[in-house]
Amino acid sequence: MISRTTPDTKDILRVDDVSKHFGGLIAVDHLSFEVRESEILGIIGPNGAGKSTVLGVISGFYPATRGRVFFEGRDITGLKSHQIVQLGIGRQFQSSTLFMSLSVLDNVFYGFHLSYRTAVWKRLLRWPSALREERELKARGEEILRRMGLEPVKNEITKNLPHGHQRILGVCIALATNPKLLLLDEPMTGMNQTEIATMLDLVRGIRDSGMTIAMIEHNMTAVMNLCDRIVVIDHGQKIAEGLPKEIQDNEQVIEAYLGKDELLLDG
């Protein structure tokens, strides 16, 4: 594939010498990389390499032990997760936090909780202004579902959805936070080939709408054909960074992680 970014493309996110320790466990070790505007950056590595921890530090779920994280030039190190969401970083989790007993639309609607302008007490008392804003947000939720192909099942109870649709719904909830940078944590886990192809098209569509994406994914065919650049992590450290073809041919990556058979591009 042809990269959508160039070396002088502006960075939207910069991870600068970040480490994260959990007691005596070093999950992330002096890690630095950038995410460029309008790109899809893949973050890959073996199980336990520290990939999800990196997303946790970026999104404010874990405080960094050392180092800094910058978003649009602003130091966001130490901010709470809800503050980081409000700045424009949305995250889909590896195990999507879904309200299984609620409808698909209601799940997306609850993703808007940080977008409310109306005071909580007015919402509780069902003031006209609160009802009007609720209608506006539900309309936005329906538009997200339409873009992501879930509008036909918007009234279905979430637990009745097939696995692939549940994974897409997790992305929809992240989109409800109106992010500039979307963090995806293994969005294709457990999907069959048809569902994976659908998710690939959806992720491309999100990027083409102007959003930047950083994603963790173990499906190497998907990563190699979807991502503009790839960062490889092993034992919390970056061992390689580059274009998909460069990663495919990197002997250190092959030996440390995937093996030659798994790094083959389609065709």
Side-chain angles (χ1 to χ4, degrees), residues 159-189:
K159 66 182 178 182
N160 295 331
L161 294 181
H163 175 76
H165 282 178
Q166 290 184 8
R167 299 299 292 174
I168 293 171
L169 179 56
V171 178
C172 290
I173 295 171
L175 291 175
T177 65
N178 196 30
K180 301 173 186 176
L181 171 63
L182 178 63
L183 307 177
L184 301 178
D185 196 345
E186 298 189 28
M188 299 167 211
T189 296

Side-chain angles (χ1 to χ4, degrees), residues 27-39:
V28 180
D29 189 12
H30 296 278
L31 181 66
S32 298
F33 65 88
E34 298 80 32
V35 184
R36 300 170 186 164
E37 283 188 341
S38 301
E39 79 170 344

Side-chain angles (χ1 to χ4, degrees), residues 143-164:
E143 173 58 20
I144 290 172
L145 291 174
R146 185 195 64 77
R147 286 171 48 202
M148 299 293 286
L150 294 186
E151 187 179 30
V153 296
K154 66 180 181 181
N155 295 319
E156 289 285 336
I157 300 301
T158 298
K159 66 182 178 182
N160 295 331
L161 294 181
H163 175 76

Side-chain angles (χ1 to χ4, degrees), residues 218-262:
H218 278 294
N219 185 308
M220 286 301 100
T221 299
V223 169
M224 291 294 167
N225 287 282
L226 181 64
C227 297
D228 298 295
R229 291 188 305 119
I230 298 172
V231 170
V232 187
I233 301 174
D234 189 23
H235 293 95
Q237 297 180 330
K238 182 173 70 176
I239 63 171
E241 179 177 358
L243 303 176
K245 178 62 175 174
E246 295 169 337
I247 299 301
Q248 179 191 15
D249 296 337
N250 187 299
E251 289 297 329
Q252 185 178 5
V253 174
I254 294 170
E255 292 174 9
Y257 178 27
L258 293 167
K260 294 181 183 294
D261 291 341
E262 295 200 39

